[in-house]
Structures are given as structure tokens and as C-alpha cells.
């Protein structure tokens, strides 16, 4: 135990015992004390495994004990028919493959996740939510990697305070949905490195068919942290290529170049009801098979993911009848069909505590959708209260600058999308008009298949690029 105690590890506090960041409670149990309690309760478990679970439960010994004692709990929890909000407070962990031991073929006892590593795991059950907490389970069930306690505690808190102050300038963006103009259910801002990039982002780059007015220059801490994000993301990309992808090779269209963040979306979720619905991130400037590094700060929230099910697999004759109804009923029924499709495969919930880095790997945007679910209750954070700050570091490709991408018939910027629903075209990319999703605009019928080389750079055919567009500066390099 002495060797284990000497290892550097974070000091954990229970979410219910919040104290000011600079004034820790002298009576609070240390991490070593909590581990000693858990080891006495669960003597067959390894210390490192108990530490991982303790971190994922934000230091709550009670939650860990309840989680590991729930031998009779089911593997999944039902998805509400009305899709009611659920709590984001750490509860029962429903996937314990890395902490449950089983008998291997040679008669030895091994962790369940090791014995299952070469087996194809079943997807989440129909109509249910599979809750994941441990890094091993998240890597097994999803195309994501999570790193808890990513930054030193002081650095994470400094970045959080800096961005909480920045969030006073965040805004909601408008978009068109079923002939109605609606606002995003959380606030955000786009961050770039230089004044020239600020000009480009407000006059050349578009998002969802509109220019963003809320563009800001990267803050000192945002730049500093980007160095660590860049290193870890590239390390994890290489690990995934080596250990997960067929023959140890990158995916088709995935860039072989070093991932280097040159833009960031910073989102603020103020309170349990602020959220974002299921979506895939826009590919227009990221290109095919992008990787995104997402750093969570402040209050913990649920990050939900589900596979995209091809329409051919689950569509019924009733679905095809929507073409015979009015546009209004078409929209309503389309939502119903989409919900039924999600229920048919279930969904996965990933717990995102303060100071956790989630890496969405190259297949994520094409094959999965993700969301931040509303919550009934949340455990306030000692610094941010009910607010969660999320930084999504992105790499905009030079070859997909808006000066190069196609314009549609109405002279608007086109958007790059991946076909996801039909088997015969699944995985192909397309340029299409997106003006109809911008408030006050009507779209046209422009459509063009997108062609890329094996490294994901666009093939423009006979169209020659006469000038060289300015590139976005890497956050780290621009310091």
C-alpha cells in the first residue's frame, strides 16, 4: 500500500460537500482514506480500479459503494416514452466490464473487459440507455476516448474561471426548423487565433447557412491548454489506428497529418435544462472523418450517443406514407420516425465530470449522433455553480477554406454532409444548399457529390485554385 500511496493522484471531494476552491475543508477525507474504506469493503478489487471508479463518481464513496453493491441491478435503464429529462448526478454504473472478474478459458480469474476484448459486444438494448463511466467501457462501446482529470486541478480551475467570465459575451444562434425560427438551447462563441481570422469567421465562414457574429480571439489559457490537447489527441489517434482499425491503418479519407486545433467552439450550459439535441457536427471545414477534442469544465452532465441506423433497416410501409401528407404532418411524423429509430437501438450515456477530455474519433460524425441531455437535477460545482463550460477543439483543413468550396444556385455557401440513411449511398459525401435552414432565407435544389482523395482532401476535378487562401493558425503555434 505504501508504494501505491506515494503515487501522485488527485484529491477528491464529494459533490455534496462543496467548498470554495481555495479553502479546502480540513476535515474532508483524503483520497487515500477513501481508498482504504473502499478496499475494506471490496477487498478483491484492485486499488487502481477503485481509484478509476472513485474519479468517475467525483469522489463519492457512497456512490461507489452503491454502484459496486448493486449486483441485482439490470444492465440498462429504460428510455422514457416521453424522453423525460434524467439526472446527471452519478448514480448506478450499469457497465462494469472493467471491474467485474470472470473465469478465463485457462481457469484464471481475469477482468471481464479482458475476456471480452476479442468478442463483438451487443449494442444497447432496444428502448434503453446504457450508462458508461469507466474509460475502458467507453472505449469498448463507443468511438470515443475519455481522460479523467486531464489538467492539473489548478490549471483546470483557472481555465474555467477565465471562460466563465468570457461566457458573459456568449449568445444563442438562430436557425430554421420546420418553418419556424428557433434559438439554440445554450449559449456559445467561436474562438480563433488572430484578428485576420476573426474577420474571416464573420465574413467568409458560415455555419448552418449563416455567418457567426459572435467570434472571439483565443484567451491565454485557451491557447496554453491547446498544447496539451494537441499532444494527447494525436497520441490517442495513433493508438486507435494501431489497436482498433483494420490492419492498423487509418480510415479512408482520414488525414494522415498531425491533428492541430485552429478553432474552438466554446459552449455554456447554464442550468439542468440547457441542452443540445441529437446531431452530427458539420463537416464543411473539418472534412471527412474528423477528430474533435472536447474538454468539459464545471458541472457534470450526460453526453448521449447513438448509432445512426440506416432507414432501410427499420422503415415500415407507414413511414413511406408520409409523402402523401401535408408538409406540417410530414415534419411531425418525421420526428416520430426518428424517435422510433433511436428507440429501436437504444442509446449510450457517458458521464462527463469536471476536467474530463472526451476525444471523438474519426468515425464518430459519420456513424453516430450525439447530444447533451437535459437533466432533472444536477450537483452544483464549487466554482461554476450550475454551469458547464465545454470546449470543442477543431482542426479546419486548409484545403476546405470557404474560398474553395462550391456555391449553390442562390450564391450561398454549400454545406458538406455525409449520407447516413440509405444503404446504397451510405458513406458518400455531398455538397448541398443549406440556405433554407437559415432564418429568412429560402434554399435551392443545388446538390453535388463530393469527391476526396484517400487522405480526405477534396478533388475539384478541372477546377484550378488560382490563389492561396489564408490558413487558420494553430492555437499552440500562435502563442
Amino acid at each position: 500500500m505504501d508504494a501505491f500511496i506515494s503515487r501522485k493522484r488527485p484529491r477528491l471531494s464529494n459533490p455534496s460537500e462543496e467548498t470554495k476552491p481555495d479553502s479546502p475543508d480540513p476535515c474532508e477525507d483524503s483520497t487515500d482514506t477513501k481508498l482504504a474504506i473502499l478496499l475494506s469493503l471490496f477487498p478483491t478489487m484492485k486499488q487502481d480500479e477503485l481509484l478509476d471508479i472513485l474519479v468517475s463518481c467525483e469522489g463519492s464513496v457512497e456512490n461507489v459503494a452503491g454502484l459496486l453493491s448493486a449486483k441485482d441491478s439490470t444492465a440498462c435503464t429504460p428510455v422514457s416514452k416521453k424522453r423525460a429529462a434524467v439526472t446527471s448526478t452519478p448514480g448506478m454504473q450499469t457497465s462494469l466490464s472493467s471491474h467485474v472478474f470472470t473465469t478465463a478459458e485457462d481457469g484464471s480469474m481475469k477482468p471481464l473487459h479482458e475476456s471480452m476484448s476479442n468478442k463483438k459486444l451487443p449494442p444497447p438494448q432496444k428502448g434503453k440507455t446504457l450508462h458508461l463511466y469507466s474509460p475502458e467501457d467507453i472505449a469498448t462501446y463507443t468511438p470515443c476516448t475519455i481522460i479523467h482529470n486531464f489538467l492539473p486541478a489548478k490549471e483546470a480551475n483557472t481555465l474555467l474561471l477565465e471562460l466563465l467570465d468570457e461566457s458573459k459575451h456568449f449568445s444563442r444562434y438562430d436557425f430554421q426548423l420546420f418553418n419556424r425560427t428557433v434559438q439554440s438551447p445554450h449559449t456559445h462563441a467561436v474562438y480563433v487565433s488572430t484578428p485576420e481570422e476573426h474577420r474571416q469567421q464573420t465574413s467568409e465562414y458560415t455555419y448552418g447557412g449563416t455567418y457567426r457574429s459572435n467570434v472571439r480571439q483565443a484567451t491565454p489559457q485557451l491557447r496554453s491548454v491547446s498544447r496539451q490537447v494537441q499532444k494527447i489527441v494525436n497520441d490517442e489517434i495513433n493508438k486507435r489506428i494501431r489497436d482498433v482499425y483494420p490492419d492498423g491503418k487509418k480510415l479512408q479519407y482520414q488525414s494522415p497529418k498531425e491533428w492541430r486545433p485552429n478553432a474552438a467552439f466554446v459552449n455554456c450550459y447554464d442550468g439542468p435544462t440547457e441542452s443540445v439535441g441529437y446531431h452530427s457536427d458539420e463537416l464543411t471545414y473539418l472534412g471527412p472523418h474528423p477528430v474533435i477534442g472536447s474538454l468539459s469544465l464545471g458541472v457534470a452532465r450526460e453526453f448521449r450517443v447513438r448509432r445512426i441506423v440506416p432507414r432501410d433497416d427499420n422503415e415500415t410501409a407507414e413511414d413511406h406514407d408520409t409523402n402523401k401528407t401535408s408538409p406540417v404532418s410530414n415534419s411531425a411524423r418525421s420526428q416520430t420516425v426518428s424517435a422510433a429509430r433511436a428507440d429501436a437501438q437504444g442509446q449510450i450515456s457517458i458521464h462527463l465530470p469536471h476536467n474530463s477530455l472526451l476525444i471523438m474519433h474519426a468515425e464518430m460524425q459519420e456513424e453516430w449522433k450525439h447530444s447533451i441531455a437535459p437533466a432533472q437535477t444536477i450537483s452544483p460545482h464549487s466554482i461554476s455553480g450550475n454551469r458547464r463550460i465545454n470546449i470543442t477543439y477543431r482542426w479546419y483543413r486548409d484545403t476546405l477554406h470557404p474560398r474553395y468550396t462550391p456555391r449553390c444556385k442562390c450564391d450561398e455557401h454549400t454545406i458538406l454532409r455525409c449520407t447516413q440513411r440509405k444503404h446504397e449511398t451510405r458513406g458518400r459525401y455531398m455538397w448541398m444548399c443549406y440556405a433554407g435552414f437559415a432564418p429568412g432565407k429560402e434554399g435551392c435544389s443545388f446538390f453535388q457529390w463530393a469527391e476526396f482523395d484517400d487522405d480526405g482532401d477534396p478533388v475539384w476535378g478541372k477546377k484550378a485554385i488560382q490563389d492561396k487562401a489564408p490558413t487558420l493558425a494553430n492555437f499552440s503555434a500562435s502563442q
Side-chain angles (χ1 to χ4, degrees), residues 214-231:
N214 198 355
V215 179
R216 303 180 65 78
Q217 281 188 244
T219 61
Q221 279 299 117
L222 200 61
R223 294 177 192 271
S224 176
V225 169
S226 70
R227 291 179 177 177
Q228 299 168 69
V229 174
Q230 179 172 334
K231 179 183 183 306

Side-chain angles (χ1 to χ4, degrees), residues 211-447:
Y211 294 104
R212 286 283 190 266
S213 58
N214 198 355
V215 179
R216 303 180 65 78
Q217 281 188 244
T219 61
Q221 279 299 117
L222 200 61
R223 294 177 192 271
S224 176
V225 169
S226 70
R227 291 179 177 177
Q228 299 168 69
V229 174
Q230 179 172 334
K231 179 183 183 306
I232 294 300
V233 169
N234 279 296
D235 288 347
E236 294 300 329
I237 289 173
N238 291 331
K239 286 180 187 177
R240 189 165 184 84
I241 292 173
R242 182 193 66 207
D243 299 338
V244 177
Y245 295 160
D247 301 321
K249 297 179 180 178
K250 73 174 185 68
L251 301 181
Q252 186 181 28
Y253 307 136
Q254 182 179 1
S255 176
K257 297 179 181 177
E258 181 185 21
W259 182 88
R260 43 190 179 82
N262 52 18
F265 284 17
V266 182
N267 304 296
C268 178
Y269 299 86
D270 190 355
T273 60
E274 294 213 343
S275 60
V276 62
Y278 270 114
H279 67 285
S280 297
D281 290 331
E282 192 173 314
L283 301 175
T284 307
Y285 309 119
L286 303 175
H289 286 150
V291 175
I292 294 175
S294 176
L295 179 59
S296 293
L297 301 167
V299 73
R301 293 293 296 269
E302 269 192 282
F303 180 77
R304 291 190 173 182
V305 301
R306 61 175 171 83
R307 283 187 179 275
I308 297 170
V309 179
R311 180 176 291 118
D312 313 56
D313 288 349
N314 290 312
E315 212 168 34
T316 65
E318 182 181 355
D319 299 333
H320 293 284
D321 290 340
T322 57
N323 294 327
K324 304 175 183 178
T325 58
S326 68
V328 175
S329 59
N330 266 349
S331 299
R333 194 167 302 192
S334 175
Q335 288 178 303
T336 302
V337 170
S338 178
R341 209 174 277 130
D343 270 353
Q345 58 162 356
Q347 59 189 347
I348 293 172
S349 174
I350 299 173
H351 179 67
L352 297 180
H354 169 65
N355 194 16
S356 58
L357 178 69
L358 183 84
I359 300 166
M360 293 186 277
H361 286 286
E363 62 269 47
M364 181 71 174
Q365 306 308 325
E366 281 86 346
E367 300 176 15
W368 297 68
K369 289 186 181 292
H370 57 276
S371 71
I372 294 294
Q376 291 177 342
T377 60
I378 53 178
S379 297
H381 186 265
S382 57
I383 295 176
S384 67
N386 287 339
R387 288 175 291 177
R388 171 185 181 251
I389 295 291
N390 167 237
I391 312 163
T392 57
Y393 286 95
R394 299 156 186 254
W395 174 30
Y396 283 13
R397 295 202 191 193
D398 299 343
T399 53
L400 287 168
H401 189 279
R403 294 191 189 181
Y404 304 150
T405 56
R407 292 274 186 140
C408 61
K409 296 176 183 177
C410 50
D411 201 34
E412 296 286 345
H413 292 278
T414 53
I415 185 174
L416 178 65
R417 303 186 75 178
C418 180
T419 58
Q420 300 167 323
R421 294 296 184 192
K422 292 186 177 181
H423 277 301
E424 60 268 25
T425 56
R426 186 172 169 86
R428 290 197 67 180
Y429 297 88
M430 56 190 174
W431 297 103
M432 59 182 292
C433 176
Y434 212 63
F437 291 86
K441 295 183 179 180
E442 291 186 7
C444 64
S445 58
F446 179 87
F447 171 90

Side-chain angles (χ1 to χ4, degrees), residues 70-78 92-97 112 116 122-126 128-133 137 141 347-349:
K71 294 181 179 179
D72 298 326
S73 63
T74 57
C76 299
T77 54
M92 292 299 179
Q93 180 172 341
T94 54
S95 176
L96 296 173
S97 65
L112 182 61
M116 296 177 68
Q125 297 179 25
K126 178 179 179 180
K128 295 183 179 180
T129 300
L130 176 66
H131 291 267
L132 303 179
Y133 293 86
D137 290 336
Y141 282 80
Q347 59 189 347
I348 293 172
S349 174

